[in-house]
């Protein structure tokens, strides 16, 4: 197994200015132009963000040009990111929705602009690509809800999601992640605006599961959707070895529902790169659309691969509410995170 070069000091990330009431936040279609097919849902997200957080959502110049145009012009999507970074009237950015091809932006990106104009970027799923480019630039970014998903949640932004956003993007103090009191994967009809006020059914929260580890560990947060990380692996957009070293990995699976064995294979790639050997800890999201048997198999695979990598000591907490679940936490990529298995605590210092 190859080993990562141990840096003399942990990486330091620039924390973007906090978002406050009155902040203008650019809505970006970096993954898909699907939003034009559900503009009622978009308007609901804009309205709910303004009502709950006081932020003004401003569409980027190409964000509402439709799926055909944005599919044919990934450079236009990259231009929107550059526009938002350089525009002094824009204070932050939010992904409108995910997809599967943000990686096509890679040849068109200007990474120096991310560090020159550090601003909060919020998104998940395919936004993992963009989150990793912020991390590579040494700028903190935020794995959290997209505009069409939890920010446009039926009946209003869920209080758990809202509290997570405030702690990560508005307030300054360290905070503990908490299990959601309830959760859902129920579908929504985004085309029927009449159902926007109808709250989805939620199941009672079932808490976290600590899979292994006894000794507390601490490191900078790094990760995202594991399918997108796999797509990024081996490209110029992949984080350097020293960025992985000492990280607390946060990994989630998408609604593609990869089999547990496939997740195990991806983790074996992380082991072969030396990422698992040098990592401080692991946070696993609630797996989207998994049956109980699939979840149990996933956990067996995680323990197996960590044992193969000589990391049976690594603290691992699973079933955490981020990624493709609702409501979801906002995780500051690049922030310091401390896992304390005995106390059952995950503490974030933004």
């Amino acid at each position: 197994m190859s080993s990562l070069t141990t840096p003399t000091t942990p990486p330091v990330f620039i924390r973007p200015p906090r978002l406050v009431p009155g902040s203008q936040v650019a809505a970006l279609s970096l993954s898909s132009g699907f939003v034009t097919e559900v503009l009622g849902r978009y308007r609901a997200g804009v309205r709910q963000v303004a009502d709950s957080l006081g932020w003004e959502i401003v569409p980027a110049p190409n964000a509402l040009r439709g799926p055909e145009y944005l599919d044919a012009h990934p450079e236009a999507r990259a231009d929107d990111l550059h526009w938002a970074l350089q525009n002094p009237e824009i204070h932050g950015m939010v992904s409108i929705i995910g997809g599967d091809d943000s990686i096509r932006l890679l040849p068109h990106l200007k990474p120096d602009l991310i560090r020159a104009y550090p601003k909060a970027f919020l998104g998940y799923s395919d936004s993992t690509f963009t989150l990793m480019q912020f991390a590579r630039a040494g700028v903190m970014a935020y794995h959290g809800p997209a505009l069409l998903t939890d920010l446009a949640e039926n009946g209003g932004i869920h209080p758990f999601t809202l509290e997570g956003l405030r702690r990560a993007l508005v307030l300054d103090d360290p905070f503990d992640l908490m299990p959601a009191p309830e959760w859902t994967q129920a579908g929504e009809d985004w085309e029927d605006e009449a159902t926007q006020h109808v709250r989805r059914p939620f199941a009672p929260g079932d808490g976290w599961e600590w899979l292994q580890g006894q000794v507390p560990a601490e490191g900078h947060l790094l990760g995202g959707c594991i399918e997108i990380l796999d797509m990024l692996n081996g490209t110029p957009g992949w984080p350097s070895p020293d960025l992985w070293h000492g990280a607390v990995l946060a990994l989630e699976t998408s609604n593609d529902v990869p089999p547990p064995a496939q997740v195990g294979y991806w983790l074996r790639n992380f082991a072969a790169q030396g990422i698992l050997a040098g990592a401080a800890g692991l946070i696993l999201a609630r797996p989207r659309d998994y049956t109980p048997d699939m979840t149990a198999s996933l956990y067996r695979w995680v323990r197996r691969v960590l044992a193969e990598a000589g990391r049976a000591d690594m603290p691992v907490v699973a079933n955490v509410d981020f990624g493709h679940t609702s409501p979801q936490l906002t995780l500051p990529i690049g922030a310091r995170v401390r896992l304390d298995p005995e106390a059952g605590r995950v503490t974030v210092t933004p």
Side-chain angles (χ1 to χ4, degrees), residues 1-4 128 132 222-234 238-239 241 244-245 247-252 262-284 302 305-306 308-311 314:
M1 180 184 70
S2 62
S3 60
L4 294 174
T128 294
M132 289 300 97
L222 199 63
C225 181
I226 195 166
E227 291 101 313
I228 305 305
L229 290 172
D230 177 65
M231 198 184 302
L232 186 61
N233 198 348
W238 186 247
W244 289 108
H245 189 87
V248 171
L249 306 177
L251 301 176
E252 59 130 343
Q262 181 61 66
V263 177
Y265 303 156
W266 288 326
L267 289 175
R268 277 182 171 156
N269 179 281
F270 281 26
Q273 292 187 62
I275 291 173
L276 296 184
L282 176 59
I283 304 174
L284 293 173
V302 170
V305 175
L306 288 174
E308 293 169 354
R311 294 308 312 274
M314 181 189 290

Side-chain angles (χ1 to χ4, degrees), residues 3 18 36 89 149 165 199 231 270 305 315 330:
S3 60
R18 294 310 203 188
T36 55
E89 296 183 354
T149 60
L165 285 165
R199 193 174 189 268
M231 198 184 302
F270 281 26
V305 175
T330 298

Side-chain angles (χ1 to χ4, degrees), residues 285-296:
R286 180 191 302 279
R288 174 81 191 199
D289 290 330
Y290 269 36
T291 65
D293 285 346
M294 292 173 69
T295 301

Side-chain angles (χ1 to χ4, degrees), residues 121-252:
F121 172 79
L122 174 68
Y124 74 107
S125 190
D126 197 39
S127 294
T128 294
F129 166 79
T130 307
L131 295 170
M132 289 300 97
Q133 305 322 300
F134 273 68
R136 291 178 63 238
V139 177
M140 195 177 296
Y142 301 87
H143 189 288
L147 189 61
L148 292 185
T149 60
D150 288 64
L151 298 183
E153 176 64 49
N154 284 24
I157 302 174
H158 194 284
F160 181 84
T161 298
L162 189 58
E163 181 65 16
L165 285 165
R166 286 183 173 138
R167 288 182 172 184
L169 287 159
V170 178
L171 305 178
D172 291 317
D173 298 329
F175 59 92
D176 282 358
L177 301 182
M178 302 296 291
E182 58 181 2
W183 67 280
T184 187
Q185 294 175 350
E188 300 161 296
D189 185 355
W190 289 359
E191 296 182 2
D192 185 358
E193 295 186 44
T195 66
Q196 180 62 39
H197 69 283
V198 180
R199 193 174 189 268
R200 290 191 285 171
F202 284 76
D206 47 1
W208 299 344
E209 184 169 347
W210 291 85
L211 301 187
Q212 64 173 51
Q214 296 179 333
V215 178
E218 183 174 339
H220 59 284
L221 194 65
L222 199 63
C225 181
I226 195 166
E227 291 101 313
I228 305 305
L229 290 172
D230 177 65
M231 198 184 302
L232 186 61
N233 198 348
T235 73
W238 186 247
S240 61
D242 60 342
L243 196 57
W244 289 108
H245 189 87
V248 171
L249 306 177
L251 301 176
E252 59 130 343

